[in-house]
Amino acid sequence: ETPLPPPDGRWIAFFSGGMLRKVPVEGGTPIVVAKALAPRGACFAPDGSLVFAPLYTGGLFRVGGSGGEPVAVTSVDTAKGERSHRWPQVLPDGRTVIFTVGDSSSPGNYDGSNIEAQNLDSGERRIILKRAKMARYTALGYLLFQRGETLLAAAFDAAQATRAGDATL
């Protein structure tokens, strides 16, 4: 997996050998942060903790930057046909995570997926984009995401976790 940029510029996180690990950017011995047997994305939160998807199926978890016992932050709604939550990103407020919701009807295809936002404090969750995957918020105020094989951007209000404009190429 691609290394994750650190929130403070001092660490890089990565998956290796069934574990989520981090290493100082100046080098050194990697630190095991958590088990991640079949990882599907991770990100640093502003406080240095990490939100990650440790398995093919299931929800997202959060673990302290020094490791410890991961805590579930999302759970799949099997009654709605959800299979997995993956490719998370914690927004700059540190209280909201965006992620792709995989559907049980198409486990290998995420073109029909939704991008959702969940408040990490209240658990409130809502759809941001339909038929989209792999969203990333940029500091310029855009949400980059994929539809099919096309990369799109939409103006995005990170403070409200809402789209502020139509998708453009």
Side-chain angles (χ1 to χ4, degrees):
E1 294 257 342
T2 304
L4 307 167
D8 60 8
R10 295 181 18 220
W11 296 91
I12 296 173
F14 61 98
F15 295 105
S16 173
M19 300 289 176
L20 174 59
R21 303 170 192 264
K22 72 178 196 175
V23 64
V25 294
E26 57 278 336
T29 303
I31 298 167
V32 172
V33 180
K35 236 193 260 190
L37 300 176
R40 293 297 177 256
C43 67
F44 278 102
D47 67 0
S49 65
L50 291 118
V51 174
F52 68 109
L55 299 169
Y56 293 120
T57 60
L60 301 174
F61 288 77
R62 187 176 203 159
V63 65
S66 298
E69 189 63 33
V71 176
V73 294
T74 70
S75 57
V76 295
D77 187 339
T78 55
K80 290 183 179 178
E82 292 181 6
R83 179 178 184 268
S84 69
H85 296 166
R86 43 181 74 192
W87 307 308
Q89 182 183 16
V90 177
L91 296 178
D93 68 3
R95 296 183 338 262
T96 307
V97 63
I98 59 173
F99 55 94
T100 301
V101 178
D103 191 286
S104 294
S105 66
S106 57
N109 182 344
Y110 291 85
D111 289 340
S113 298
N114 292 332
I115 303 297
E116 298 197 15
Q118 180 169 315
N119 182 294
L120 293 169
D121 298 327
S122 71
E124 177 192 346
R125 199 170 122 189
R126 68 180 177 285
I127 296 172
I128 297 173
L129 290 164
K130 293 184 176 186
R131 300 176 335 277
K133 60 186 174 189
M134 297 180 150
R136 284 293 171 259
Y137 172 72
T138 72
L140 297 175
Y142 287 91
L143 194 65
L144 303 177
F145 60 95
Q146 217 180 327
R147 276 205 175 118
E149 294 185 18
T150 304
L151 179 63
L152 299 166
F156 188 74
D157 179 346
Q160 299 299 313
T162 57
R163 223 178 36 191
D166 293 330
T168 60
L169 291 175

